[in-house]
Amino acid sequence: MSSNLYPLKFHPILKEKIWGGNKLKKLLNKASSLPNIGESWEISDVKGDTSVVSNGNLQGKSLQDILTVFKSDLIGKKNYNQFGDKFPLLIKFIDAKEDLSIQLHPNDELASKRHNSFGKTEMWYVMQADEGSNLIVGFNQEMTAEKYLKHLNDKTLTKILNFDKVKTGDTYFIEVGRVHAIGSGVLLAEIQQTSDITYRVYDWDRVDANGNERELHNDLAIDAFDFNMPDNFRISYDREQNISNEMVKCPYFTTNYLKLTRPIKKQNIHDSFLIYMCVEGEANIMTNSVHETIKLGETILLPAAIKDFEISSKNAILLEVYV
């Protein structure tokens, strides 16, 4: 193992949004004087928004810096062979005080051709939801491009969208080509490919402080839709304590649910980094040389070179992510 690597924490990159609120500050303890914070980018290699290490000997180095130096020791051999000096995932917490725009994301092929980017397959884990809060995922009826465009042009799009009431622990897998939006009152964890490409198709006719509407991308979006997707976006998963329960496994990432009530020994059997997002309580992570605490709303990256470690907690729920 590279002796210089250890469990890494990063400074969150906070994003002000027209739809953002104060739960990231109040519930997840994100320090900021900004109003309306919609997103906390926990681990990011998006150009212009690269995460910076906040702990240990590598403090002040960017994710890009350390990936360039440590390569497969950081992300694993198969990942380094595939992605090179590009971290493959973007990890976020999102607070929707108001509804997000109705949107979808392009697949790898379209995103590469149009934007020189990865596509944006993603998943959501609901951490908290106000009474009656919804997620919008997919359509509530069989759909064609012609029918969709008629509703879009008639401003009746919401009549054909599927609204799901949600509660803590609800999990959704959002494939590229599927229409979706986070509804007001929802706080969630998001795991996605490293991409910031979003096609906004409807924004509730709202305007900013200067009276301007946000840009829509309907010309680009129509080719990105998959109108024949099955309604398989709600994820059922086991919640057995003190073991990793698989939630989502796709070509881009695997995410497990881990509820801890005691110390457990873990072994990284994957040729990959491990990411832990703390969505409830707090836990301690111990390697041979380092002891780190991860609290609610915090995220930690264990380099691929760390094979054996221990996690202890009496009350934590962690999302465990790898590629």
Side-chain angles (χ1 to χ4, degrees):
M1 184 186 110
S2 177
S3 60
N4 293 329
L5 282 174
Y6 54 90
L8 297 163
K9 287 180 160 183
F10 298 88
H11 295 288
I13 301 168
L14 301 178
K15 300 278 187 177
E16 229 182 329
K17 298 287 183 180
I18 194 171
W19 42 260
N22 60 16
K23 287 181 184 176
L24 294 175
K25 290 191 281 190
K26 282 194 167 178
L27 300 185
L28 302 192
N29 300 307
K30 302 295 179 186
S32 177
S33 58
L34 294 171
N36 306 327
I37 297 174
E39 299 183 349
S40 176
W41 290 21
E42 297 289 297
I43 302 179
S44 168
D45 194 24
V46 173
K47 189 174 181 182
D49 282 303
T50 302
S51 294
V52 173
V53 178
S54 64
N55 69 329
N57 295 334
L58 296 170
Q59 186 172 349
K61 301 281 188 188
S62 74
L63 179 57
Q64 188 56 236
D65 293 337
I66 59 177
L67 181 49
T68 304
V69 171
F70 293 104
K71 304 185 185 301
S72 62
D73 276 348
L74 183 69
I75 65 172
K77 287 177 183 166
K78 74 172 179 356
N79 288 333
Y80 194 75
N81 289 341
Q82 182 175 356
F83 299 107
D85 293 331
K86 188 73 185 166
F87 194 78
L89 295 183
L90 173 56
I91 306 294
K92 300 178 182 177
F93 293 114
I94 298 178
D95 168 25
K97 184 183 178 185
E98 298 179 18
D99 296 325
L100 271 69
S101 62
I102 311 299
Q103 58 188 246
L104 74 158
H105 308 301
N107 61 26
D108 285 343
E109 186 183 359
L110 265 183
S112 175
K113 186 168 70 176
R114 291 176 173 173
H115 313 286
N116 191 29
S117 170
F118 296 131
K120 194 175 173 185
T121 297
E122 62 190 20
M123 69 161 283
W124 296 332
Y125 173 87
V126 176
M127 295 174 65
Q128 184 271 337
D130 297 347
E131 187 71 32
S133 294
N134 297 290
L135 295 176
I136 295 173
V137 189
F139 297 104
N140 61 21
Q141 56 193 266
E142 286 192 11
M143 194 49 53
T144 63
E146 293 74 25
K147 193 196 288 190
Y148 162 78
L149 285 170
K150 182 174 189 331
H151 280 281
L152 181 70
N153 293 328
D154 291 347
K155 290 195 177 291
T156 55
L157 190 59
T158 55
K159 289 185 177 177
I160 58 172
L161 296 173
N162 171 59
F163 290 76
D164 269 11
K165 278 203 167 67
V166 290
K167 62 186 183 306
T168 300
D170 285 350
T171 299
Y172 286 72
F173 181 53
I174 312 296
E175 292 182 83
V176 290
R178 194 190 294 284
V179 69
H180 62 275
I182 303 170
S184 63
V186 177
L187 174 70
L188 56 76
E190 179 176 271
I191 294 138
Q192 59 160 92
Q193 291 173 270
T194 292
S195 169
D196 199 30
I197 307 298
T198 293
Y199 294 161
R200 191 182 297 128
V201 300
Y202 179 58
D203 198 31
W204 310 101
D205 301 319
R206 64 184 153 203
V207 294
D208 64 17
N210 299 318
N212 300 313
E213 294 185 356
R214 291 195 296 173
E215 183 184 3
L216 301 179
H217 313 103
N218 283 302
D219 290 348
L220 293 170
I222 194 63
D223 292 340
F225 269 104
D226 182 345
F227 290 108
N228 298 309
M229 302 179 92
D231 290 344
N232 58 354
F233 41 78
R234 297 177 198 87
I235 301 299
S236 299
Y237 59 96
D238 294 331
R239 305 189 194 197
E240 192 175 338
Q241 294 181 357
N242 303 309
I243 67 165
S244 297
N245 299 270
E246 186 175 287
M247 306 168 87
V248 169
K249 185 179 181 67
C250 71
Y252 306 104
F253 54 81
T254 297
T255 302
N256 299 324
Y257 174 94
L258 178 57
K259 178 163 186 172
L260 293 164
T261 60
R262 58 173 173 80
I264 61 170
K265 293 193 181 305
K266 294 284 288 181
Q267 197 171 33
N268 184 357
I269 58 172
H270 316 286
D271 183 15
S272 173
F273 57 87
L274 290 173
I275 289 171
Y276 289 98
M277 303 180 78
C278 187
V279 295
E280 191 172 302
E282 68 176 71
N284 295 308
I285 296 178
M286 285 149 285
T287 67
N288 287 335
S289 55
V290 175
H291 169 217
E292 272 292 352
T293 299
I294 177 173
K295 298 179 179 178
L296 171 65
E298 290 187 333
T299 303
I300 199 164
L301 185 152
L302 270 67
I306 297 175
K307 296 302 181 190
D308 298 284
F309 57 100
E310 182 177 292
I311 308 180
S312 65
S313 177
K314 294 179 179 177
N315 65 347
I317 296 177
L318 306 177
L319 303 185
E320 177 184 69
V321 186
Y322 58 91
V323 172

